[in-house]
Amino acid sequence: GSCRHRCCPGRNNACWAPGTRRAHCYCDSYCQRTGDCCQDYLATCRRAAVGCAVGPWGPWSGCSSPCGAGSRARSRQVTVPPRHGGEPCPDLKQRRGCLGQHPSCGTAE
């Protein structure tokens, strides 16, 4: 089977061509994981693929709880979105635990 002008990003079951022995071969980027790509998939589709690119991580936020257990978060932005079945974007947000220790913690009112 041949992809010709059919190159689809992600998992797209409608993006196929007739293969050998009446089986379907696929022209979506997921076919590399399942091993059922059309014979010309790499030459036809991956050549034009552009993988995702992201910027640097921003600073961590302050702790969500001024006293006791809370969480911090940080994020980053996509600088180049994926195209033509290129590598998808990694996580854009991270979260981690923290312990708020504001000076007023533990003081009676």
Side-chain angles (χ1 to χ4, degrees):
S2 174
C3 288
R4 292 186 198 145
H5 298 292
R6 281 186 80 118
C7 295
C8 307
R11 187 174 193 164
N12 185 342
N13 290 336
C15 195
W16 62 273
T20 58
R21 297 183 181 171
R22 298 183 190 171
H24 292 174
C25 63
Y26 292 86
C27 297
D28 59 356
S29 55
Y30 194 76
C31 75
Q32 290 191 292
R33 289 191 180 174
T34 54
D36 54 4
C37 297
C38 291
Q39 62 191 16
D40 64 348
Y41 172 76
L42 286 176
T44 304
C45 300
R46 298 297 291 179
R47 176 178 49 209
V50 175
C52 181
V54 294
W57 287 106
W60 286 102
S61 68
C63 192
S64 63
S65 174
C67 301
S71 63
R72 295 177 183 266
R74 69 178 181 172
S75 63
R76 59 185 173 181
Q77 302 294 317
V78 172
T79 55
V80 178
R83 292 191 304 271
H84 310 298
E87 287 297 314
C89 294
D91 288 340
L92 300 175
K93 294 184 179 184
Q94 286 184 335
R95 189 173 286 286
R96 71 178 184 189
C98 62
L99 189 60
Q101 297 177 335
H102 191 268
S104 64
C105 296
T107 60
E109 291 185 12

